[in-house]
Amino acid sequence: MHVTAFAMLLALYRLLRGPSVPDRILALDTLSVAAIAQLILLGMHLNTAIYFEAALIIAMLGFVSTVVLSKYVLRRDIVE
């Protein structure tokens, strides 16, 4: 759990200080993956299923946000 927390801190630093927009998008995606890992580890540690459902929701939101932000960076338009 400490390793994923450290990874989240590094991704947060890159998200805040990233030199370019694609770096920040990649940092946001990495942050969501680390948050998913943190929630799954916490769910395994506490032996409850609610954290797995939260991890699934974060996974879906992270995927959609990464796709939308990447599409916006490439085309400057989200809706075609």
Side-chain angles (χ1 to χ4, degrees), residues 7-59:
M8 289 176 74
L9 284 176
L10 291 176
L12 185 63
Y13 175 76
R14 181 55 59 194
L15 180 66
L16 296 175
R17 305 277 301 185
S20 64
V21 175
D23 289 334
R24 290 181 177 180
I25 293 172
L26 186 60
L28 181 66
D29 190 46
T30 304
L31 186 64
S32 68
V33 169
I36 292 166
Q38 188 80 5
L39 282 173
I40 289 175
L41 288 174
L42 188 63
M44 289 171 61
H45 179 71
L46 297 176
N47 200 16
T48 61
I50 190 72
Y51 294 104
F52 297 116
E53 295 172 4
L56 181 64
I57 291 171
I58 289 177

